[in-house]
Amino acid sequence: MDTKNATYSIPSLSHIGHIHLKVADIQRSLEFYCGLLGFQETSRHGSRVVFISAGGYHHHIALSTWYSKGGKPPLTNNTGLSQASIRYPTRCDLACILQRLLDFEHPISGVSDHGVSETIYIEDPDKNVIALYWDKPYEQWPLHEDGSIEMYNIPLNINQLLEAVSL
């Protein structure tokens, strides 16, 4: 490690601004991200790039076919993006998207309680893993005796989560 950078810390209010996904088919991806997940298209740049967002931000996700039109999904054992995560503001919001996935019979590849969050794992049409989650309130986070965060991976009770839709 370069010692010149050893004392640098990224500012605590920094966050990931957006993600740019290479997709094989723009329309198919729009049907997934806008039609199923509810993002809105904010702008197009020719026929090969579309920006989408939640809540009117300029873009949270860029979808492009610059180098991937008609392409194949990446191989599982290659390097690259492991997953993209979408954080929902409340447990009820996460329950609502779960209900929508079930209503549209979209495959769910996993559901987990990580202690600090609850997560639903799905794949987009290009086999990118998308984690849909909400963070539990900080006061509910499990801690080790030394005060560090204890994260784990246990099955999430989806029936219990779905009860939050009616709250």
Side-chain angles (χ1 to χ4, degrees):
M1 179 176 175
D2 181 3
T3 56
K4 292 185 281 186
N5 294 324
T7 59
Y8 177 77
S9 255
I10 188 168
S12 62
L13 295 178
S14 299
H15 65 275
I16 304 297
H18 71 271
I19 188 166
H20 189 138
L21 296 174
K22 295 189 299 183
V23 300
D25 182 307
I26 291 279
Q27 189 56 42
R28 182 180 70 177
S29 293
L30 286 172
E31 288 169 9
F32 173 80
Y33 286 99
C34 295
L36 179 64
L37 296 185
F39 284 89
Q40 294 85 38
E41 183 177 324
T42 58
S43 64
R44 283 184 183 251
H45 301 274
S47 62
R48 300 187 326 176
V49 180
V50 177
F51 288 170
I52 61 175
S53 81
Y57 185 65
H58 58 82
H59 74 287
H60 288 106
I61 301 173
L63 304 168
S64 83
T65 57
W66 280 329
Y67 304 104
S68 56
K69 187 169 184 165
K72 297 177 184 163
L75 298 173
T76 304
N77 61 344
N78 285 5
T79 59
L81 181 69
S82 175
Q83 75 181 35
S85 299
I86 300 168
R87 182 169 45 114
Y88 286 79
T90 68
R91 189 168 198 254
C92 182
D93 293 319
L94 184 66
C96 287
I97 193 61
L98 172 59
Q99 185 63 63
R100 185 165 175 79
L101 293 169
L102 294 172
D103 290 347
F104 281 80
E105 299 180 359
H106 187 83
I108 296 171
S109 49
V111 292
S112 295
D113 180 341
H114 295 297
V116 298
S117 62
E118 294 179 331
T119 308
I120 302 163
Y121 296 95
I122 60 175
E123 289 184 350
D124 77 0
D126 293 291
K127 303 298 182 200
N128 292 306
V129 175
I130 308 298
L132 310 173
Y133 76 102
W134 83 286
D135 279 334
K136 296 177 182 179
Y138 179 76
E139 308 79 49
Q140 294 179 17
W141 290 8
L143 302 175
H144 292 286
E145 286 184 25
D146 66 1
S148 62
I149 299 169
E150 178 185 0
M151 291 184 66
Y152 45 78
N153 187 14
I154 62 173
L156 176 63
N157 182 331
I158 63 170
N159 292 324
Q160 190 176 61
L161 176 58
L162 288 170
E163 290 174 7
V165 171
S166 60
L167 297 179

